[in-house]
Each structure stands twice: as structure tokens, then as C-alpha cells.
Amino acid sequence: MSKILIADDSSSMRQMVSFTLKAAGHEVEEAKDGNEALAKAKSTQYELILSDVNMPNKSGFELTSELRSLDNYKFVPILLLTTESAAEKKGQGKAAGATGWIVKPFNPETLVHTVKKVIR
């Protein structure tokens, strides 16, 4: 079982991702934006961060970049969840340090499979 943090400003999206990952046996915590996610990540060690890209206060790109600057998150997988599939956006995510990209709406089996693949 892995400890996972989900950051998304959409409560329905957080609930859907959380439900899917809890059903797969993971421990999940939620954050409503990048600021809350960063604060939680600084007080608790997660094995995976799943973040929306477009959020108020701090985008998924900013969150990823700030997490990567912390010693204990240099190598933790960070997956960006977004409706954006443009190569330019994916490049921005990679530049910020994202491990991967999941396009919404996602298939729950695909999410679980991707999570299993990135968590060691």
C-alpha cells in the first residue's frame, strides 16, 4: 500500500481519483490546490503525488517544480492529471520535473496501472 497525495481544485475529480486508488489498496489524502498540497507534502512523506495542472493559487507546474526543490521529493513520482494534451504543455510538465501525464477523463484501470508502474 502506498501513501498518495491528490491535488485538484475539483472536488468531484479528487473524489473519483481517491475512490479509484483506495479501491486498489492505497492510502490517499487530498488537497484542493497547489498551496495546500505543498503544505501537506512538507509535513507528510508521500510515495506519489497526483496533481491537476490548472489550479488556483499554485498550478501543477509550480507545485511540481517546488516539490522537486525539496530533498525528500527529488525522486518521488509526480503525475500530472489534466485535460490538456498539447505537446507544449507536456514539455512544460517535464521541464518542471513531472514523471508522467494522465489526460482527463481517464480510465480507472489505466490510472491504477500507471500508479503501479511509477511507484517502486
Side-chain angles (χ1 to χ4, degrees):
M1 177 166 85
S2 299
K3 195 170 202 148
I4 299 172
L5 177 64
I6 301 164
D8 199 309
D9 56 324
S10 161
S11 62
S12 59
M13 184 55 67
R14 282 195 314 270
Q15 287 170 347
M16 190 167 40
V17 173
S18 184
F19 177 82
T20 301
L21 294 176
K22 282 178 179 173
H26 299 286
E27 188 181 328
V28 180
E29 287 189 34
E30 300 176 15
K32 66 182 178 312
D33 63 31
N35 285 339
E36 186 182 355
L38 187 62
K40 286 186 177 208
K42 284 180 175 178
S43 65
T44 303
Q45 182 64 45
Y46 296 97
E47 293 160 82
L48 171 69
I49 309 283
L50 276 166
S51 176
D52 184 17
V53 169
N54 300 309
M55 296 184 289
N57 304 320
K58 189 183 300 290
S59 74
F61 296 139
E62 292 167 317
L63 173 62
T64 300
S65 176
E66 289 183 39
L67 285 168
R68 288 295 183 223
S69 73
L70 303 172
D71 285 343
N72 56 330
Y73 281 99
K74 281 197 186 335
F75 305 107
V76 170
I78 300 173
L79 296 175
L80 295 175
L81 278 169
T82 184
T83 53
E84 312 264 354
S85 59
E88 175 196 335
K89 290 284 186 185
K90 287 184 183 178
Q92 267 184 283
K94 234 183 201 6
T99 309
W101 196 267
I102 297 174
V103 178
K104 297 188 236 178
F106 62 86
N107 173 312
E109 289 84 38
T110 303
L111 176 65
V112 171
H113 176 75
T114 304
V115 165
K116 269 188 192 154
K117 224 164 52 175
V118 298
I119 293 178
R120 298 185 199 344

